[in-house]
Amino acid sequence: MPDLINELKWRGLFHQATDENALREHLSQPRRVYAGFDPTADSLTVGNLVPIMLLKHFQQAGHTPVVVMGGGTGLIGDPSGKEAERQLRTPEEIESNIAGQRPIFEGILSFEGENAATIVNNHDWLGKLSYIEALRDIGKHFSVNMMIQKESVKNRLEGREQGISYTEFSYMILQAYDFLRLYEDEQVTVQVGGSDQWGNIVAGNDLIRRTHYVSRVALVGTTKDGDQVEVGEQIVTQQVSFGLTAPLVTKSDGGKFGKTESGAIWLTADRTSPYAFYQFWLNASDDDAHRYMKLFTLLPQDEIASIIEAHTQNPGAREAQRRLAQEITKLVHGEDGLQRAEAATQALFSGDVSSLDEATLNEVFADVASTEHSKNELAGEGVALVDLLPLTSLAKSKREAREFLSNGGVSVNGEKVGLEDRLTATQLLHNSVALLKRGKKTWHVTRWK
RNA sequence: GGGCGGUUGCCGGAGUGGUCAAACGGGGCAGGCUGUAAACCUGCUGGCUUACGCCUUCGGGGGUUCGAAUCCCUCACCGCCCA
């Protein structure tokens, strides 16, 4: 078995671990490892890809991933990394969010074979936990002194801008209990997550240590006569659970990873189309592309090295971005999704949209903003583009439309148009569609009936 | 409850009676260069208008004035200080 920890380090997926050497030893045999996911939305974003990749690498190394959906903890709300108290979500919301996230894991992890992944919901045990029981069995192992030292809690206590409710303050205890339950019931011994989860992970680790494997070892001394006598005792705890975190993913320009002007990049097609997803990675800067290949693809080290080498030789070819986009899109959206994304990219950037057949055209532009119009308007001279543009998503006003047109920033069906141009019936593709583009990348479909 | 200060365009922030659609910066958009990049350069960034120009905006409402983002009254909200 190759050394997983070294692999993770090389990839930039290793931030810190509890007792690294012991963990390395521990992982020489197949183990069960978990990561938790918050059902705050009905999908996950590229930021969540990090813990998923961790699970994926563990699985490839022969370990068994366990995905924990926070059906219970989601009802409470993790204060980590949050400046303000969270809005509580209803059980129904949580339930449907879990349903929305599930397919993401099913697509990326393997659910077959010896070390098939499993998905569990922590509501299964947290929901049954009684308050008295929780306070006696779990709470007793936590010191408030320690809890208020925790980063996420401390900020909220010291800031005074925003307090923290007892509910969120208790969150750590619930996640710690998760680890204990999984440890006892599912033989899970390792928890992984992003670096923001370190506090919660360590809390779980502590809880397991305090409730397990405490043994007494005699300290033996030798008298001057050479006799061995017991001189004292030591309580020895044998740590058998571990935590490992990945660093926060950053962008080389200092911006926030995974966010674009148009919002977050999601992992499901209903929120971010495979095309937009593919484009997100394709537009990575050179440095980022190199790092992302290590972080988010499963390509082996030597292959990544040679891609980086080729890309450095000839950065204009953007080999790294292309492979990056291909690999991740395939991982998240499957072979199908990748093909759709590449077909759309080809059509949209060659500019030659007029040659597309109707089915492909509909496919490619399925996710693009569109408006419907009456074909009557196109009769005779047709409609002036200055008047049409404000009706679409491309221009907010006629004045703006005029500006774009006179700048040469607008094209119809791939042809540049100017201020005086009009749209007539003869220009429609397949007798029903005109594709407008503003700038380099912004498209709008007008459908005429 | 009292005192003081504030609320301006997407954001920050000037502007204290006409010369204000409102400086400057950021962001955004378009064009150029390029690698669907970065950096850089140019233009635009309330609406209508080919244009002259017109209309609507400076927390809400009311007033003073020939004329108000600017003065007065009032309401709302925010900040700081005192109780």
Side-chain angles (χ1 to χ4, degrees), chain A residues 347 352-365 375 378 412-413 423-435 445-449:
Chain A
D352 186 18
V353 285
S354 54
S355 63
L356 293 176
D357 66 56
E358 199 165 353
T360 313
L361 190 144
N362 283 332
E363 171 94 340
V364 167
F365 287 94
K375 221 181 226 174
L378 296 182
V412 173
N413 296 335
L423 181 68
T424 61
T426 54
Q427 293 170 37
L428 292 184
L429 299 178
H430 311 292
N431 201 25
S432 65
V433 178
L435 302 169
V445 183
T446 53
R447 297 177 197 283
W448 303 82
K449 292 213 168 120

Side-chain angles (χ1 to χ4, degrees), chain A residues 100-339:
Chain A
Q101 292 183 5
R102 187 175 280 270
I104 298 170
F105 300 105
E106 291 169 348
I108 297 177
L109 298 171
S110 165
F111 285 76
E112 285 165 6
E114 196 116 307
N115 58 338
T118 51
I119 299 181
V120 297
N121 183 341
N122 66 14
H123 188 263
D124 292 350
W125 55 84
L126 292 178
K128 288 186 224 148
L129 194 60
S130 85
Y131 192 57
I132 297 291
E133 190 186 351
L135 289 179
R136 287 184 65 91
D137 297 351
I138 314 170
K140 204 66 178 167
H141 296 288
F142 285 85
S143 106
V144 171
N145 308 39
M146 175 271 280
M147 287 172 75
I148 60 174
Q149 290 307 309
K150 203 194 160 205
E151 199 63 27
S152 60
V153 174
K154 200 161 76 177
N155 293 342
R156 296 268 288 272
L157 286 177
E158 286 173 357
R160 294 285 290 282
E161 291 268 310
Q162 267 287 337
I164 182 166
S165 66
Y166 181 70
T167 307
E168 286 195 13
F169 178 64
S170 315
Y171 178 89
M172 185 196 313
I173 286 179
L174 293 183
Q175 188 168 327
Y177 183 67
D178 276 354
F179 201 176
L180 180 63
R181 280 271 60 76
L182 290 161
Y183 179 85
E184 290 183 352
D185 302 343
E186 305 279 338
Q187 296 77 50
V188 171
T189 52
V190 182
Q191 181 178 182
V192 297
S195 56
D196 58 329
Q197 289 301 308
W198 180 249
N200 291 330
I201 292 174
V202 169
N205 230 30
D206 287 348
L207 181 60
I208 292 171
R209 171 152 31 78
R210 290 184 188 138
T211 47
H212 287 271
Y213 298 95
V214 177
S215 59
R216 177 185 166 282
V217 170
L219 291 179
V220 176
T222 309
T223 65
K224 46 185 184 236
D225 301 333
D227 296 332
Q228 296 208 326
V229 293
E230 188 175 321
V231 295
E233 65 173 17
Q234 188 175 19
I235 300 299
V236 173
T237 59
Q238 181 191 356
Q239 187 69 22
V240 283
S241 66
F242 301 88
L244 183 151
T245 58
L248 193 69
V249 179
T250 55
K251 270 192 353 183
S252 52
D253 67 4
K256 210 170 177 190
F257 170 72
K259 285 266 181 356
T260 65
E261 286 75 38
S262 42
I265 301 295
W266 298 87
L267 301 181
T268 47
D270 55 330
R271 284 195 173 240
T272 299
S273 70
Y275 165 72
F277 187 81
Y278 180 90
Q279 286 289 324
F280 168 75
W281 299 103
L282 194 62
N283 282 316
S285 74
D286 294 350
D287 282 353
D288 288 344
H290 297 171
R291 283 172 35 237
Y292 295 169
M293 271 197 296
K294 295 178 183 176
L295 288 169
F296 299 115
T297 76
L298 298 166
L299 297 173
Q301 297 195 12
D302 52 352
E303 193 171 349
I304 290 180
S306 75
I307 295 169
I308 290 178
E309 170 68 20
H311 181 239
T312 309
Q313 294 289 316
N314 180 13
R318 301 193 307 139
E319 173 73 5
Q321 281 89 339
R322 205 166 304 279
R323 281 305 298 277
L324 174 72
Q326 286 171 347
E327 290 298 321
I328 307 184
T329 307
K330 192 160 69 183
L331 190 68
V332 172
H333 289 293
E335 193 70 51
D336 266 15
L338 174 59
Q339 274 178 20

Side-chain angles (χ1 to χ4, degrees), chain A residues 275 278-279 282 322 340-350 364:
Chain A
Y275 165 72
Y278 180 90
Q279 286 289 324
L282 194 62
R322 205 166 304 279
R340 271 176 60 195
E342 289 197 308
T345 297
Q346 173 61 26
L348 264 41
F349 285 92
S350 69
V364 167

